[in-house]
Amino acid sequence: MDKLAFLFLACILAGFALIKLPLAGSPLAGIQPITSLIGILAILVFSLVLIFRGIMALVGK
């Protein structure tokens, strides 16, 4: 399997970790929406890249 695919999967997992990051009650509680937004964007971007690469592999390019 392609090494980049594992990297993309790791980025998706990191995005989920950013969404679930508990910042309530800490001095960083104000950046909770920013970390959630970055996590959502990471999940979306890397998922779309994996889907695109999978389609290209099926097509044969």
Side-chain angles (χ1 to χ4, degrees), residues 10-31:
C11 292
I12 293 170
L13 288 176
F16 279 113
L18 278 175
I19 290 174
K20 296 292 185 180
L21 187 65
L23 292 176
S26 71
L28 299 174
I31 65 167

Side-chain angles (χ1 to χ4, degrees), residues 1-53:
M1 188 176 214
D2 192 13
K3 290 181 183 180
L4 280 178
F6 288 123
L7 179 63
F8 295 151
L9 288 173
C11 292
I12 293 170
L13 288 176
F16 279 113
L18 278 175
I19 290 174
K20 296 292 185 180
L21 187 65
L23 292 176
S26 71
L28 299 174
I31 65 167
Q32 177 76 34
I34 296 170
T35 59
S36 295
L37 179 67
I38 292 171
I40 291 169
L41 287 175
I43 293 168
L44 287 175
V45 167
F46 290 108
S47 295
L48 289 174
V49 169
L50 274 177
I51 291 169
F52 178 75
R53 289 178 59 96

